[in-house]
Amino acid sequence: MTTRLLTNIGELLTNDPALGDESPVGRLTCAAVIVDDERVLWVGPAATAPDADERHDARGAAVVPGFVDSHTHLIFAGERSDEFEARMAGERYDGAGITRTVEATRAASDEQLREESSARLAALRAGGVTTVEVKSGYALDVQGEARLVDLAAELTEDVTFLGAHAVPKEFARDRARYVELVAGEMMSRCARAKWTDVFCDEGAFDVDEARVVLEAGRRAGHQLRLHANQIVDIGGVTLAVEMQCASVDHCTFVSDQDVERLAASSTVATLLPGAEFSTRSPYSSGRRLLDAGVSVALATDCNPGTSYVTSMSFVVALAVREMGLSVDEALWSATRGGALALRRGDVGHLSVGARSDLVILDAPRAAHLAYRPGAQLVREVWRSATE
Ligand code: NIG
Ligand code: FE
C-alpha cells in the first residue's frame, strides 16, 4: 500500500485530545499526517514527520476529519419546494407531506432512485462527508421498504430501516395493523439493515407504537435510533433513553428532565438545524444540551420535506450562529459526534489507526467553515478505501 505524507498543515483538528492542545478537537498547528489507503499511520508536528512514498503540501491549509453525516433520507423521488414556500409564508410542518414523497418513490424505478441518490451522495462527499447513514422510509410497504434498504446498502454500511416513518394511506383506518406489519413481516424483509428508526412525534407514531417497533428492531439484531421531539414533546426523548438508542434526532423541544436523562445516558442528541431552517421552527438549544453534559451530533437530515440540505458546512454554520455552539464544538459534533451517534470508533477523528478520512480546506483555519457560509471551502477530500 502506498503511504502519503500530508505536510505543511496550518491547523489540524484531530479530535484526539492526546494529540493536540488537549482541547476536545485536538488542535495541532504546523502539522503533518501520514496515511495509507485505509488508515492514519502517523500524526504530529510537520518538522518531525517521517518519510512516506508520496508527499503532498497542504500549503498552510486547515485539515479536519471527514464529516460523519449520521442522519439522511437520501433515497427518494420528487421534491416538495411548494411546501417549503408555504412554510416560509407561515404554514406549520406536520409531516403530512411524507405521503407525497411516498407516492413518487413507489413510482420510481430502481435506476432512477439509484441515480438520484448517488448524485445527492456525491454532493455530500464534495462537501467533505466521508461517512453517511441512509434511511429507508419513503415506500411504507414490504416490498418497497426492502427495495430501499437494498439500495441504501449500495451507498453505505450504516443503513437504517424506517418503515415507521408515517402511516400510509391504505392503513389510515387501521394504524395498529400497520404497526404490526412494520414490526413483523416488513422488519424481517429489512433485516439486513443495521439500524431501526421510528418517527415518534405528533402526527406520526406515539410512544407505545414506537416502542413496539424498536423492540422488534432489537429482536431483528438492529441497533436503535429515534426521530423525536421535532414537532412537540410526546415523550420520544424519554423513550429513546429508556430503549438505550444510540441517538435521538431533532430534539427541538426538550424538557429539563429529558436533558438530565440524556446527560446521564449514552444516547447522543443529534441536532438537525437544516430541518429547523427549512420548517421555520425554533432552533434546538445545543448550548443547553452541551452545558448539561449531553453528547451532541450534527447532521444534514437530507430529505425532500424538511431539509433538502447536502452541505455539512451549512449545518456547522447554522449550529454556530443559531444553536450557541462554538466553532470547535460544531466541528466536533459534525465529525466525532456523528461517529458516536453511529457507535463507530473508526471514523470522526484522526488518531493513529482511524480511517484515513480527512478534508483539506481552502482556508488557513477551520473556523472559516462557519465564518464564510456559502463559500465552497473544501479543496480536497481523502477517503479511506475500507468502506
Ligand atoms: O427528519 N421527521 C421525519 N422525517 C423527516 C422528514 C420527512 C418528510 O417530511 O419527508 C425529518 O424531518
Ligand atoms: Fe429525518
Side-chain angles (χ1 to χ4, degrees):
M1 245 190 282
T2 314
T3 58
R4 287 195 281 179
L5 164 67
L6 178 62
T7 189
N8 199 11
I9 299 170
E11 177 185 57
L12 175 68
L13 303 191
T14 63
N15 285 343
D16 182 343
L19 280 175
D21 57 358
E22 286 175 19
S23 73
V25 293
R27 173 182 283 97
L28 279 165
T29 47
C30 307
V33 181
I34 299 178
V35 300
D36 64 17
D37 295 346
E38 292 178 354
R39 303 278 161 185
V40 175
L41 303 178
W42 184 91
V43 184
T48 64
D51 260 351
D53 299 331
E54 289 175 9
R55 192 185 163 87
H56 295 255
D57 188 345
R59 306 191 305 274
V63 171
V64 298
F67 291 120
V68 179
D69 189 356
S70 60
H71 182 142
T72 82
H73 307 249
L74 279 195
I75 308 182
F76 61 84
E79 57 89 38
R80 285 158 42 206
S81 54
D82 52 345
E83 290 177 25
F84 171 79
E85 288 182 295
R87 287 195 301 268
M88 293 306 110
E91 210 130 294
R92 189 171 170 265
Y93 175 74
D94 62 2
I98 293 174
T99 53
R100 293 174 70 198
T101 302
V102 169
E103 270 172 42
T105 305
R106 283 178 178 178
S109 67
D110 290 2
E111 235 8 82
Q112 182 191 339
L113 292 175
R114 204 171 264 134
E115 231 170 75
E116 294 181 5
S117 54
S118 304
R120 288 174 204 123
L121 180 58
L124 285 171
R125 292 228 187 285
V129 171
T130 47
T131 302
V132 70
E133 177 262 15
V134 178
K135 300 175 199 297
S136 72
Y138 285 120
L140 311 184
D141 56 31
V142 173
Q143 288 277 99
E145 284 295 310
R147 172 168 85 130
L148 298 185
V149 163
D150 287 345
L151 288 169
E154 295 176 14
L155 303 177
T156 183
E157 68 186 66
D158 281 294
V159 175
T160 299
F161 167 56
L162 180 58
H165 195 191
V167 176
K169 284 192 178 127
E170 56 277 21
F171 284 88
R173 285 158 191 277
D174 195 356
R175 46 185 304 125
R177 214 153 58 80
Y178 185 66
V179 173
E180 229 173 78
L181 180 70
V182 173
E185 192 188 345
M186 204 184 281
M187 183 67 74
S188 332
R189 287 291 306 279
C190 296
R192 73 177 291 196
K194 181 161 157 189
W195 300 93
T196 288
D197 190 351
V198 177
F199 183 15
C200 178
D201 217 315
E202 185 182 84
F205 294 88
D206 68 26
V207 165
D208 292 336
E209 293 167 334
R211 190 185 284 107
V212 167
V213 175
L214 291 177
E215 278 169 354
R218 182 166 283 156
R219 283 196 300 275
H222 292 175
Q223 298 185 72
L224 308 179
R225 43 207 319 105
L226 195 66
H227 278 74
N229 298 47
Q230 176 185 14
I231 300 170
V232 289
D233 179 0
I234 62 162
V237 170
T238 318
L239 175 69
V241 172
E242 172 200 319
M243 295 294 294
Q244 297 177 315
C245 289
S247 172
V248 59
D249 301 40
H250 284 289
C251 299
T252 308
F253 302 100
V254 185
S255 67
D256 290 343
Q257 267 181 323
D258 274 346
V259 172
E260 279 174 33
R261 286 190 183 101
L262 280 168
S265 77
S266 62
T267 302
V268 173
T270 299
L271 307 185
L272 309 167
E276 284 146 6
F277 175 88
S278 302
T279 55
R280 227 188 235 300
S281 301
Y283 288 92
S284 167
S285 175
R287 184 73 270 135
R288 174 172 164 243
L289 293 167
L290 285 171
D291 287 346
V294 177
S295 300
V296 168
L298 288 169
T300 62
D301 194 16
C302 179
N303 79 81
T306 64
S307 183
Y308 207 155
V309 169
T310 47
S311 164
M312 279 296 274
S313 308
F314 178 60
V315 167
V316 164
L318 283 179
V320 170
R321 178 63 181 81
E322 306 288 351
M323 292 178 154
L325 273 64
S326 69
V327 174
D328 281 358
E329 286 167 338
L331 288 168
W332 187 95
S333 301
T335 50
R336 190 115 205 198
L340 271 184
L342 293 175
R343 295 213 166 127
R344 288 185 56 167
D346 57 339
V347 296
H349 62 106
L350 294 171
S351 326
V352 170
R355 288 199 188 204
S356 48
D357 294 341
L358 57 84
V359 184
I360 307 171
L361 299 176
D362 242 328
R365 299 187 64 236
H368 284 230
L369 288 168
Y371 167 57
R372 294 161 62 191
Q376 173 49 284
L377 295 175
V378 173
R379 185 195 287 171
E380 249 181 87
V381 181
W382 289 13
R383 194 167 156 264
S384 165
T386 327
E387 197 178 68

